[in-house]
Amino acid sequence: MENIKIKDKEFKPLIDSARIQTRITELAIELNSDLKGKNPLFLAILNGAFIFAADLMKGISIDCEISFVKLASYKGTKSSGSVLTLIGLDEDVNDRNIIIIEDIVDTGNTMTELLPKFNVFSPRSIKIATMFFKPAALVNPIKPDYVGFEIGNEFIVGYGLDYEGLGRNLNDVFVAI
Ligand code: IMP
Ligand code: MG
């Protein structure tokens, strides 16, 4: 695989699509076994998780539901606290086993804002499945339950992840150099 350039940045290959697919098959096997009989509700976080969610679901053979939500930032007053609002959650999450599907957990700020939004409901359980995880960048006590790949504290594109809107469509993952 060759290096690519997106806007001003050069990227080199990090993880090819075959490795990604192999890992997703393993994750799906784990989820099928952990969630059998629990009719889980997968909640994929747009935009980044759309490809991971689609590929993962192809390997899920148990009864389950999937829905797509988005975190939108809004201009709130400082005192209002949260800066992200959850949109698109139309399902009743009470008593459900929720699996959040994320593209990447970096600082963990997004998950730290998202998880309390479920406090007004009574889900049976909430787990996080993320394709990529940067343990060295984490600044919050977030521990993803299912991780595709742990990577270093570096910037990646491809497989749903973008650099300034570009690169989400790449089948392989590249890292900034
Ligand atoms: P966090 O809130 O810092 O955990 O990161 C959340 C979001 O930042 C992710 O959902 C991505 O949209 C974005 N992000 C973090 N790291 C990267 C990266 O390496 N490449 C592309 N987007 C990233
Ligand atoms: Mg994201």
Side-chain angles (χ1 to χ4, degrees):
M1 274 182 356
E2 285 176 10
N3 289 2
I4 57 164
K5 195 166 182 207
I6 300 177
K7 294 195 172 172
D8 54 313
K9 245 192 219 318
E10 269 252 305
F11 294 85
K12 65 177 185 193
L14 183 68
I15 307 169
D16 69 26
S17 67
R19 261 185 84 201
I20 292 173
Q21 295 305 325
T22 301
R23 184 66 189 122
I24 287 177
T25 302
E26 293 170 355
L27 287 176
I29 289 170
E30 218 182 316
L31 286 160
N32 284 332
S33 134
D34 292 356
L35 299 166
K36 197 173 168 119
K38 296 186 173 170
N39 187 22
L41 171 62
F42 290 95
L43 290 179
I45 313 289
L46 295 173
N47 294 327
F50 75 115
I51 294 181
F52 173 39
D55 281 344
L56 185 64
M57 292 309 284
K58 293 179 206 165
I60 300 295
S61 53
I62 57 168
D63 284 348
C64 66
E65 294 172 38
I66 182 162
S67 189
F68 295 83
V69 295
K70 191 160 187 163
L71 288 160
S73 35
Y74 63 94
K75 278 203 183 90
T77 57
K78 267 201 182 129
S79 55
S80 72
S82 176
V83 293
L84 289 180
T85 182
L86 180 63
I87 53 179
L89 183 62
D90 299 326
E91 288 69 24
D92 183 358
V93 296
N94 288 307
D95 221 30
R96 298 298 303 270
N97 294 292
I98 308 294
I99 311 287
I100 294 166
I101 305 184
E102 239 311 24
D103 52 356
I104 188 164
V105 174
D106 181 18
T107 62
N109 287 339
T110 305
M111 284 302 111
T112 301
E113 284 210 52
L114 174 66
L115 293 175
K117 298 192 189 301
F118 291 95
N119 290 348
V120 295
F121 309 107
S122 305
R124 187 167 295 222
S125 65
I126 304 185
K127 297 235 152 104
I128 300 169
T130 187
M131 192 60 216
F132 304 101
F133 179 38
K134 300 184 192 174
L138 201 64
V139 297
N140 297 280
I142 294 290
K143 203 191 164 300
D145 302 276
Y146 302 92
V147 174
F149 296 95
E150 286 195 2
I151 61 169
N153 193 359
E154 47 201 5
F155 189 83
I156 60 172
V157 286
Y159 201 70
L161 291 139
D162 72 301
Y163 171 56
E164 295 190 358
L166 296 172
R168 292 193 196 274
N169 54 313
L170 297 164
N171 291 335
D172 309 298
V173 168
F174 295 81
V175 59
I177 47 177

